[in-house]
Amino acid sequence: MNRDKEQKAIERLKSFEPETEPYYLCYSGGKDSDTIKILAELSGVKFEAVHNLTSVDMPETVKYIKSQNDVKIHIPRNKDGKHITMWDLIIKKHFPPTRVVRYCCSELKEQGGKGRLKITGVRADESSKRKANAGMVKVIGKPKTMQKKAEEMQLDYEVNNKNGLVLNYDNADTRRFVEHCYRTTSTIVNPIIDWSESDVWEFLNHYGCKSNPLYECGNKRIGCIGCPMAGKQRRQELKRYPTYYRAYLRAFDKMLQARKESGLDGVWQSAEDVMKWWLE
Ligand code: SF4
């Protein structure tokens, strides 16, 4: 196991720890979030692990998360307190989520933890897009103000394609910057940004964590059923969970009705047409 990386990740967690409240640890029920949870325990920082239910989580994942007493489950709600589901979003947005427009992540997964300093298990080697978009620290929101502040502090930063600020140096200035901005933006610390998949598995094996049982069933990725980011795995998932397949079809049906009422073009004639397009 790579002890240097483990120590570095622990140091990162310690150095960015907020003074007055625990970290908000984004827990998905996958191997990377198990890794940051164990690292947070080892480092002795205070944290609150939270899973945001998306309504299309795999049942095995929900069971795995519920089996852990130290993970809270958060149900995303709108301003009126109504539970937001994937089905509602598909109807409201008039099209299903795609790789390019993943509205569901921001509305379902990233809703919790406002005004808190977040930690996630994002790793750069997961995809080239992540490599370009993430860093050890990522700040989203108030781009102009944050860039001005970063300039004033002479920080070495990059701007990603979503106007987020990415910082990769763990030093006193970066820490002060994080302290300054995390209340008013979405600020994320990624302690294992430079870990590989094998680093993660070696670490988990060392600490006796088998992680989500779905990995033993051959899943490479733990996410939502039908997630547009899951590539070929999506078709298998929808076959494995026919209730969700049917629920998507019902949502597509209602979405087509909503499109008609809004005067949108009839690109799709039926829910099955939408499904075919969506899975292509
Ligand atoms: S379906 Fe994929 S993109 Fe949407 S919330 Fe789930 S993980 Fe995020």
Side-chain angles (χ1 to χ4, degrees), residues 54 56-57 86 89 97-99 101-110 221-230 248 278:
T54 65
V56 279
D57 300 276
M86 176 66 102
L89 288 178
T98 64
R99 285 182 79 87
V101 190
R102 281 180 294 145
Y103 53 74
C104 42
C105 249
S106 56
E107 301 223 24
L108 301 171
K109 271 196 151 179
E110 294 157 9
R221 180 182 181 280
I222 305 295
C224 301
I225 299 167
C227 173
M229 304 308 287
Y248 272 115
W278 192 51

Side-chain angles (χ1 to χ4, degrees), residues 210-230:
K210 287 194 173 158
S211 198
N212 192 314
L214 282 169
Y215 289 119
E216 285 179 1
C217 303
N219 279 49
K220 293 259 175 287
R221 180 182 181 280
I222 305 295
C224 301
I225 299 167
C227 173
M229 304 308 287

Side-chain angles (χ1 to χ4, degrees), residues 33-72:
S33 54
D34 276 326
T35 300
I36 50 164
K37 187 151 81 69
I38 296 172
L39 283 166
E41 281 158 9
L42 291 170
S43 65
V45 297
K46 292 195 188 70
F47 69 93
E48 180 190 18
V50 183
H51 175 78
N52 286 289
L53 275 187
T54 65
S55 66
V56 279
D57 300 276
M58 293 182 191
E60 295 88 341
T61 300
V62 177
K63 197 171 166 202
Y64 176 62
I65 292 168
K66 284 186 173 166
S67 72
Q68 301 179 55
N69 297 329
D70 57 350
V71 179
K72 287 185 187 160

Side-chain angles (χ1 to χ4, degrees), residues 22-275:
Y23 277 117
Y24 182 94
L25 189 151
C26 305
Y27 186 83
S28 69
K31 62 185 185 315
D32 300 323
S33 54
D34 276 326
T35 300
I36 50 164
K37 187 151 81 69
I38 296 172
L39 283 166
E41 281 158 9
L42 291 170
S43 65
V45 297
K46 292 195 188 70
F47 69 93
E48 180 190 18
V50 183
H51 175 78
N52 286 289
L53 275 187
T54 65
S55 66
V56 279
D57 300 276
M58 293 182 191
E60 295 88 341
T61 300
V62 177
K63 197 171 166 202
Y64 176 62
I65 292 168
K66 284 186 173 166
S67 72
Q68 301 179 55
N69 297 329
D70 57 350
V71 179
K72 287 185 187 160
I73 293 194
H74 177 255
I75 297 176
R77 297 187 185 278
N78 66 15
K79 282 181 191 145
D80 304 324
K82 189 181 171 272
H83 181 183
I84 314 171
T85 65
M86 176 66 102
W87 326 121
D88 300 329
L89 288 178
I90 289 173
I91 301 162
K92 187 174 127 196
K93 302 278 179 185
H94 292 150
F95 64 98
T98 64
R99 285 182 79 87
V100 186
V101 190
R102 281 180 294 145
Y103 53 74
C104 42
C105 249
S106 56
E107 301 223 24
L108 301 171
K109 271 196 151 179
E110 294 157 9
Q111 214 204 39
K114 285 202 174 77
R116 303 273 301 276
L117 185 54
K118 296 180 191 170
I119 37 179
T120 80
V122 164
R123 292 183 296 106
D125 88 339
E126 279 179 299
S127 74
S128 50
K129 207 169 168 194
R130 283 210 155 161
K131 203 172 223 155
N133 276 329
M136 195 188 59
V137 172
K138 186 161 91 168
V139 180
I140 306 160
K142 299 190 167 179
K144 283 188 185 146
T145 318
M146 289 306 130
Q147 277 178 48
K148 198 170 159 221
K149 184 73 188 168
E151 294 290 344
E152 272 168 29
M153 294 178 75
Q154 298 184 330
L155 293 179
D156 198 351
Y157 70 90
E158 283 168 39
V159 179
N160 71 13
N161 61 10
K162 289 180 183 158
N163 264 341
L165 246 65
V166 172
L167 301 108
N168 279 309
Y169 292 96
D170 175 7
N171 56 29
D173 287 337
T174 312
R175 288 196 284 278
R176 272 210 309 282
F177 181 71
V178 166
E179 186 67 38
H180 168 82
C181 63
Y182 85 83
R183 289 268 177 224
T184 54
T185 62
S186 180
T187 303
I188 301 154
V189 176
N190 299 313
I192 59 166
I193 189 74
D194 48 355
W195 287 37
S196 65
E197 187 171 347
S198 57
D199 290 331
V200 166
W201 281 121
E202 280 170 30
F203 175 85
L204 291 177
N205 288 339
H206 179 80
Y207 287 99
C209 173
K210 287 194 173 158
S211 198
N212 192 314
L214 282 169
Y215 289 119
E216 285 179 1
C217 303
N219 279 49
K220 293 259 175 287
R221 180 182 181 280
I222 305 295
C224 301
I225 299 167
C227 173
M229 304 308 287
K232 286 181 190 153
Q233 196 178 294
R234 301 169 77 200
R235 286 175 189 274
Q236 292 155 16
E237 286 169 3
L238 290 165
K239 238 187 209 165
R240 195 182 331 142
Y241 305 102
T243 326
Y244 286 81
Y245 179 80
R246 289 193 295 272
Y248 272 115
L249 284 178
R250 279 197 300 277
F252 294 163
D253 230 0
K254 290 183 186 162
M255 175 196 88
L256 289 176
Q257 189 57 38
R259 285 178 64 92
K260 213 174 178 179
E261 283 162 15
S262 306
L264 289 169
D265 274 353
V267 197
W268 302 294
Q269 302 309 314
S270 64
E272 284 74 15
D273 279 354
V274 182
M275 182 66 87

